[in-house]
Amino acid sequence: MANLEEWEDFLKVRYPENGQPGAPGFQATDPNKKQEQFRNYETDARPSVREFYRLNHRHQTYDFVQAKRKEFLSLSRRQMSIWEALDYLNTLVDESDPDTDLSQLDHLLQTAEQIRRDGHPRWFILTGLIHDLGKILCLYGEPQWAVVGDTFPVGCAYSEKIVFHQFFADNPDSRVPRYQSRTGAYSEGCGLEHVCLSWGHDEYLYQVVKDYLPQEALYMVRYHSFYPAHREGEYQHLMSAEDKKMFAWVRAFNPYDLYTKSHERPEVEKLRPFYDELIRQYFPATLRW
Ligand SMILES: [Fe+2]
């Protein structure tokens, strides 16, 4: 993809703000039209997005995820404060997107500011600010398909509701029977903490911040790209009662993630004191990345 936002643009087509196919309240203009007919977002997707999902579904195997966890979760690459990480992420420039002249930091501040305007708790605002910091994986040279994109469990059957499901045919795990049963490498109701999702920026950031934020915030960070679960309602059989309860927060966060981007550039210097204090309230001076 030309840039990371292309994937998120695609998500907005797939999950439009006012009712998506299959959601309660979704009204088809033509009542005789079946839900499936609305799912043509795959055929309409840009070739680059299609190629992105082809690579993602081909290469995100159970073993690949284990290897990436080993590679990155020792958190021994850098010591940075939250602001340093924000500045670092901001060096990720989207040269080729004519639609946006906003930086990664602008996007994150827009998300946080909308959460703040809606009167949510301070930890919720902070989550808006930091939730995509795991995208610094791109700056370590990781390919996009191993940083962004919808996440899904590896090591068990792929939900048919995962977009571009057909590309899983090229994933070597699809020929491993023990990875293709309903629970696969896991067990009924085992809880998502025991389930490996495809590797990306959610899990990486979760591991960086897990000692510092309330559970609700950690669920938002860790599962905000897990669209098959939080938007499609899949994989309930792997969730614990606690997961099911906490997913209400993941769903509460999602609209801010997807729909708050605007062309208005936030005034960083004016906002900085508020966010400095907020960061100090929850985080130590530096964190391990
Ligand atoms: Fe994200």
Side-chain angles (χ1 to χ4, degrees):
M1 295 185 291
N3 61 71
L4 296 175
E5 266 82 54
E6 254 182 78
W7 166 64
E8 292 181 348
D9 289 345
F10 173 69
L11 283 179
K12 276 180 257 182
V13 176
R14 184 174 150 205
Y15 299 114
E17 188 163 11
N18 297 312
Q20 83 278 25
F26 176 75
Q27 287 293 325
T29 330
D30 173 359
N32 297 318
K33 211 166 174 182
K34 293 221 176 65
Q35 264 182 28
E36 283 71 17
Q37 293 174 269
F38 289 95
R39 298 178 62 92
N40 60 1
Y41 43 75
E42 287 189 15
T43 24
D44 295 344
R46 292 188 207 179
S48 57
V49 171
R50 194 182 172 81
E51 176 62 7
F52 166 82
Y53 277 107
R54 193 185 67 77
L55 292 168
N56 176 281
H57 291 4
R58 159 70 182 80
H59 294 291
Q60 291 271 3
T61 63
Y62 186 82
D63 289 346
F64 173 80
V65 173
Q66 303 311 320
K68 285 294 164 190
R69 294 178 65 88
K70 218 168 147 188
E71 186 181 349
F72 288 103
L73 298 187
S74 59
L75 305 180
S76 48
R77 277 182 172 65
R78 291 170 165 243
Q79 289 255 97
M80 291 188 288
S81 67
I82 292 289
W83 270 113
E84 283 167 335
L86 284 161
D87 287 340
Y88 184 44
L89 181 67
N90 223 22
T91 64
L92 194 65
V93 182
D94 294 330
E95 300 103 347
S96 45
D97 190 351
D99 290 346
T100 177
D101 49 1
L102 295 177
S103 68
Q104 299 286 329
L105 176 61
D106 292 333
H107 285 317
L108 287 171
L109 278 169
Q110 283 177 345
T111 305
E113 281 293 284
Q114 188 57 51
I115 294 167
R116 186 181 172 192
R117 275 192 290 275
D118 288 353
H120 289 298
R122 286 171 68 82
W123 56 261
F124 196 152
I125 304 169
L126 183 57
T127 305
L129 181 72
I130 65 159
H131 76 279
D132 271 345
L133 278 180
K135 289 182 183 173
I136 64 170
L137 285 169
C138 285
L139 295 162
Y140 300 151
E142 292 297 293
Q144 287 183 359
W145 58 263
V147 179
V148 297
D150 312 26
T151 57
F152 54 87
V154 293
C156 64
Y158 307 114
S159 158
E160 289 196 347
K161 293 199 176 154
I162 300 172
V163 72
F164 291 109
H165 182 271
Q166 70 274 22
F167 290 142
F168 285 123
D170 294 329
N171 187 307
D173 285 356
S174 68
R175 291 179 290 283
V176 180
R178 81 192 135 94
Y179 288 160
Q180 289 310 315
S181 68
R182 188 162 168 274
T183 51
Y186 317 107
S187 59
E188 197 78 28
C190 63
L192 291 177
E193 65 175 310
H194 301 295
V195 174
C196 282
L197 300 190
S198 52
W199 175 252
H201 69 287
D202 296 29
E203 179 68 17
Y204 175 57
L205 183 67
Y206 163 73
Q207 296 286 344
V208 171
V209 302
K210 67 180 177 196
D211 294 335
Y212 309 112
L213 295 175
Q215 277 304 314
E216 293 86 345
L218 295 176
Y219 267 83
M220 292 170 177
V221 167
R222 198 176 196 183
Y223 300 114
H224 72 271
S225 305
F226 192 10
Y227 282 81
H230 71 69
R231 290 296 290 252
E232 304 281 3
E234 296 290 274
Y235 296 107
Q236 298 273 325
H237 60 289
L238 298 177
M239 291 187 181
S240 63
E242 179 73 0
D243 290 332
K244 289 177 189 169
K245 198 177 89 194
M246 284 293 178
F247 260 61
W249 290 104
V250 182
R251 284 190 292 274
F253 177 72
N254 184 243
Y256 295 103
D257 188 14
L258 266 194
Y259 311 123
T260 51
K261 283 171 190 167
S262 74
H263 288 277
E264 216 176 297
R265 168 164 285 138
E267 291 181 74
V268 181
E269 283 318 307
K270 234 170 104 185
L271 296 172
R272 177 111 189 190
F274 172 81
Y275 286 99
D276 274 340
E277 202 191 322
L278 183 57
I279 290 166
R280 259 201 312 273
Q281 184 184 344
Y282 287 93
F283 290 114
T286 63
L287 296 91
R288 299 178 57 219
W289 299 81

